[in-house]
Amino acid sequence: MTSPVPYPAFSLRDLGWTRLGGLYEERRELLGMLRFGSRRLLAAIVLTTLVEIATAPLTALCAQRFVHVLTEETGDYLWPAAGFAAAMLLRQAAEIAGLAFRQSMAKTIDGAARSRMRRIALRPAGISHLEDPEFQDVASRAADQGIAWRERSVGMAAVGQVQTGGRMLSAIAMGVALAVYFPLLACTLIVLCFVIRSITLRQWLFLENVKDAATPERRKVDFWADLAAGPEAGTELRLFGLAGWVSERRLAAHYAWLADYWRIRRNVLHRQKLSMAITAVCAALALGVPGTAALDGEIDVGTLAFCLVAAWGVFVIANMGNESYDIEYGKTAHHALRQLEGLRPPVTGTRTPAATVATIRFEDVTFTYPGAPRPVLSRLNLTIRPGERLAIVGVNGAGKTTLIKLLAGLYTPTAGRITVDGEDLCTLDPAEWRSRMTALFQDFVRYPLTLRENITLAAPEADASDAELEELLRLGALEPVLASLESGLDTVLWNSGSGGRGLSGGQWQRLAAVRTLYARSHGRRLVVLDEPTAHLDVKAEARFYDEVVGAVRNASVVLISHRLSTVRSADRIVLLDNGRITEDGSHTDLLKRGGDYARLFRLQASRFSDGAAEPDATEREGSESNAAEPEEMRG
Ligand SMILES: Nc1ncnc2c1ncn2[C@@H]1O[C@H](COP(=O)(O)OP(=O)(O)OP(=O)(O)O)[C@@H](O)[C@H]1O
């Protein structure tokens, strides 16, 4: 059998101070998580645990008295019988109430743990950590919602400790009671029960580690499950008849995730023969030693009953209750959370950029995605002049969006630097820098918020009047949409919720453009438009460039588009190819030069040479159209 993680064999070092100290520290930290829960609940948990502890020896004493009264016929057996029943009932009631209290407390602690995780994920100024598989693995462990049969709940681990502590105390108390009559038996049972516990725990933790090693496989299961049940791919899956195929992929991913685990688990189950044998020995000793003493007349029958109940109480040590697993599984989540907290976000700059429209330079910038074999940008040089409209064109995958993300400081160049008015972007406070710019990304987010919030979140610090928002919506050709909304600007744009209203793809894109205009009119000096018209019809696209892009004043505009006809009015166009700028100039200059840009533009035009599209009257270079796009630019 091959296993991705080694089987944890017992070592004497496990009993060393370092290991025990680490264990103590770990448990202390877990207990510290209790501070996120309510004090009242904690008090209730402690109380029910104390009741559980106290009722154990009480049961043994009542049993002893009851049997003694019955056999010796020396008194009233009603009170010991009632005491025994009451102790048992009290114990059951305490267990049930304790479980409810613990679960409630655990949920609060888990909520706090997940909030901490979200804060950690949002903490770095960049986004590269979100794409790092190691970060994803640890984050998924820290926020496990329980796709497996057991949840990794930090909360259950924290409260489980109180319960386990109680159980251990109760078991030791029973051991002490047994030791009054049979000290050697009591010590042997306690030691052997701890051995059984240790073996069982080791085996299950090993299995848990095997499962953890397959976390990337598990993410694939999540992906296929979300795809099958989520709305995003719903249309395509049905159109292409892929429903069955997706189910099969999900199942295949599930097997790929767990096949090794199942195989290794079978092996571990075989190993349990040892702990079963030790358990049998314990049972034989617990029954045999007091039983023989009773037969020899060394103890009376009442004491025999007491000893048997006490021995049963000691067995609690070996009996891995749910809380023991809760602690161990939850510990993994807590450990993952600690790992995440230990990840120091990269040091960022603190300087405040000037509020002017800046000159931005890419100086010999190289960028390689983590783990990628080749750089996307390679010694790239580019200047964005103040107030200019710069268009960046290039085939799919040329690195246009990457360049924009570097500009926004979401990634840091692998080599070279980006400067803003001569200052290295890395030395600027990322939040301050981003408050100077705004962007409309290809994959813009459709926020399930009101129409008003969908616009104003781009400059939350500003005060927006209804008149200003309405004017911007008019500019974005969204007046009819506004008129059709029951609650106007305060309508929630969310067709999955009651009282909400959905928008079409093109309407969402216009709204994203309006958001950009709003940000611009509230102090953003750099406007980035990455494929801003991909969802728009030809008329709306033309209007977008004339009225929306044309409305931007006192700011630099960086525009990315595959539709060359839409970028020709830019002050300057640069062609990105093989990680560098290979052509740079105005539309007219680039056409005259007769390079790749001109070739691609003419290719676009040739698709319409049969008269399918109206030639653009303003274009003097030949037969170009204003709506077509070259196939090669689509990659
Ligand atoms: N997060 C990422 N991790 C690794 N590689 C990436 C990542 N994002 C993009 N890439 C790779 O970087 C290259 C450039 O991608 P980018 O999105 O910048 O291209 P683009 O020019 O904007 O493409 P398109 O025109 O298709 O939008 C591509 O080869 C892509 O596979």
Side-chain angles (χ1 to χ4, degrees):
M1 178 196 69
T2 53
S3 158
V5 288
Y7 188 81
F10 176 75
S11 148
L12 277 180
R13 253 184 269 158
D14 290 354
L15 299 175
W17 282 117
T18 323
R19 172 89 178 80
L20 292 178
L23 203 67
Y24 166 76
E25 197 50 38
E26 197 176 69
R27 294 299 163 105
R28 203 179 57 77
E29 278 177 17
L30 262 185
L31 269 181
M33 295 296 287
L34 289 172
R35 70 183 184 282
F36 293 112
S38 117
R39 284 192 185 173
R40 274 190 187 179
L41 270 178
L42 183 58
I45 291 169
V46 172
L47 185 69
T48 47
T49 310
L50 287 177
V51 170
E52 281 186 53
I53 297 172
T55 49
L58 206 63
T59 323
L61 284 172
C62 289
Q64 180 185 26
R65 184 73 197 141
F66 181 67
V67 175
H68 183 78
V69 168
L70 277 187
T71 51
E72 303 292 321
E73 295 180 1
T74 54
D76 187 358
Y77 62 84
L78 203 63
W79 284 112
F84 183 81
M88 292 289 275
L89 272 176
L90 202 61
R91 190 182 173 89
Q92 288 295 320
E95 270 188 29
I96 293 168
L99 180 66
F101 295 145
R102 283 194 302 277
Q103 283 184 342
S104 173
M105 180 93 162
K107 282 201 172 18
T108 320
I109 298 172
D110 282 343
R114 279 195 280 271
S115 301
R116 273 168 85 179
M117 213 213 70
R118 280 190 285 273
R119 277 200 299 275
I120 292 167
L122 286 168
R123 196 165 57 187
I127 55 170
S128 51
H129 65 295
L130 301 176
E131 290 163 356
D132 176 3
E134 197 187 326
F135 180 91
Q136 288 176 18
D137 285 357
V138 180
S140 96
R141 252 173 253 150
D144 196 344
Q145 301 291 303
I147 189 178
W149 62 282
R150 184 173 289 283
E151 273 187 45
R152 277 185 240 253
S153 152
V154 179
M156 286 308 275
V159 293
Q161 288 200 120
V162 181
Q163 197 189 9
T164 302
R167 285 202 178 195
M168 289 299 149
L169 275 179
S170 145
I172 300 289
M174 295 298 250
V176 171
L178 180 62
V180 171
Y181 299 96
F182 301 100
L184 189 61
L185 173 67
C187 290
T188 312
L189 283 185
I190 290 176
V191 169
L192 287 181
C193 284
F194 269 115
V195 170
I196 298 169
R197 184 183 181 84
S198 162
I199 294 174
T200 317
L201 205 57
R202 227 164 254 276
Q203 289 172 337
W204 285 104
L205 288 190
F206 167 63
L207 283 176
E208 190 60 9
N209 290 339
V210 169
K211 211 183 258 176
D212 274 354
T215 306
E217 299 298 329
R218 181 194 143 165
R219 278 207 303 275
K220 282 187 203 155
V221 181
D222 291 347
F223 169 80
W224 289 112
D226 290 349
L227 196 75
E232 287 83 15
T235 311
E236 207 162 294
L237 294 187
R238 278 156 191 77
L239 195 70
F240 298 149
L242 294 178
W245 180 79
V246 167
S247 293
E248 280 166 26
R249 296 302 301 222
R250 201 209 73 82
L251 211 58
H254 195 87
Y255 280 119
W257 171 42
L258 288 178
D260 267 355
Y261 170 76
W262 288 329
R263 195 164 41 80
I264 293 164
R265 187 177 59 183
R266 269 199 299 279
N267 201 293
V268 167
L269 286 176
H270 284 303
R271 287 180 187 233
Q272 286 196 328
K273 284 177 196 151
L274 176 63
S275 42
M276 283 177 183
I278 302 175
T279 309
V281 170
C282 285
L285 287 175
L287 283 173
V289 174
T292 313
L295 285 177
D296 293 346
E298 290 168 18
I299 54 169
D300 61 27
V301 187
T303 308
L304 173 65
F306 175 84
C307 291
L308 291 181
V309 176
W312 168 70
V314 173
F315 281 163
V316 168
I317 297 173
N319 177 14
M320 300 282 294
N322 273 348
E323 72 284 352
S324 310
Y325 296 109
D326 286 340
I327 294 175
E328 298 305 329
Y329 290 114
K331 232 169 59 182
T332 336
H334 184 249
H335 182 66
L337 197 61
R338 291 294 311 272
Q339 253 180 293
L340 288 181
E341 281 176 340
L343 295 176
R344 290 281 125 231
V347 181
T348 51
T350 52
R351 300 172 71 104
T352 306
T356 51
V357 187
T359 302
I360 300 163
R361 283 186 216 283
F362 283 67
E363 298 177 5
D364 275 337
V365 169
T366 297
F367 179 73
T368 310
Y369 279 103
R374 274 184 306 280
V376 177
L377 304 180
S378 174
R379 300 188 68 100
L380 176 136
N381 288 290
L382 174 68
T383 302
I384 304 169
R385 296 171 196 136
E388 83 172 336
R389 274 155 231 270
L390 173 75
I392 304 175
V393 298
V395 294
N396 287 139
K400 304 179 292 295
T401 303
T402 305
L403 190 146
I404 295 305
K405 287 184 177 167
L406 283 163
L407 178 60
L410 294 169
Y411 297 112
T412 312
T414 317
R417 62 176 199 156
I418 301 167
T419 62
V420 178
D421 280 339
E423 296 218 47
D424 192 332
L425 186 55
C426 293
T427 65
L428 300 182
D429 179 332
E432 288 283 345
W433 167 236
R434 286 171 201 158
S435 71
R436 302 280 191 273
M437 67 178 291
T438 185
L440 195 175
F441 284 109
Q442 276 182 52
D443 44 3
F444 60 88
V445 181
R446 301 164 187 213
Y447 295 97
L449 301 171
T450 61
L451 175 59
R452 181 194 305 279
E453 288 164 328
N454 260 290
I455 302 171
T456 55
L457 58 78
E461 76 285 356
D463 270 337
S465 69
D466 284 6
E468 179 191 352
L469 296 181
E470 281 160 14
E471 172 56 20
L472 289 175
L473 286 168
R474 192 198 58 74
L475 210 57
L478 283 169
E479 256 177 334
V481 172
L482 177 63
S484 71
L485 296 178
E486 215 169 278
S487 310
L489 286 165
D490 295 314
T491 308
V492 177
L493 302 180
W494 191 34
N495 54 4
S496 305
S498 62
R501 158 80 194 269
L503 296 183
S504 75
Q507 288 167 339
W508 270 114
Q509 192 156 42
R510 287 180 202 196
L511 183 54
V514 167
R515 187 186 300 157
T516 311
L517 281 182
Y518 178 78
R520 165 55 220 110
S521 54
H522 290 282
R524 275 48 176 180
R525 298 275 183 258
L526 174 63
V527 177
V528 174
L529 303 167
D530 186 357
E531 288 292 348
T533 55
H535 294 280
L536 301 191
D537 57 57
V538 177
K539 214 166 122 196
E541 181 177 55
R543 192 175 160 179
F544 176 85
Y545 284 103
D546 291 349
E547 297 188 18
V548 178
V549 181
V552 175
R553 295 272 176 278
N554 198 17
S556 309
V557 178
V558 177
L559 167 68
I560 294 177
S561 179
H562 288 113
R563 308 188 192 196
L564 298 190
S565 54
T566 63
V567 301
R568 62 185 171 186
S569 59
D571 300 327
R572 200 154 60 95
I573 301 169
V574 294
L575 180 72
L576 184 59
D577 188 19
N578 270 328
R580 291 175 190 221
I581 303 297
T582 51
E583 291 180 32
D584 184 340
S586 69
H587 173 71
T588 315
D589 291 345
L590 293 183
L591 282 189
K592 274 189 194 140
R593 193 177 300 173
D596 281 343
Y597 177 85
R599 191 173 53 78
L600 292 170
F601 195 84
R602 294 211 159 89
L603 182 68
Q604 165 192 316
S606 69
R607 290 175 57 205
F608 292 83
S609 57
D610 60 357
E614 287 291 315
D616 187 338
T618 60
E619 180 52 58
R620 282 189 289 268
E621 298 299 326
S623 57
E624 298 82 355
S625 133
N626 78 346
E629 75 191 285
E631 277 164 9
E632 282 182 34
M633 292 300 272
R634 282 279 174 214

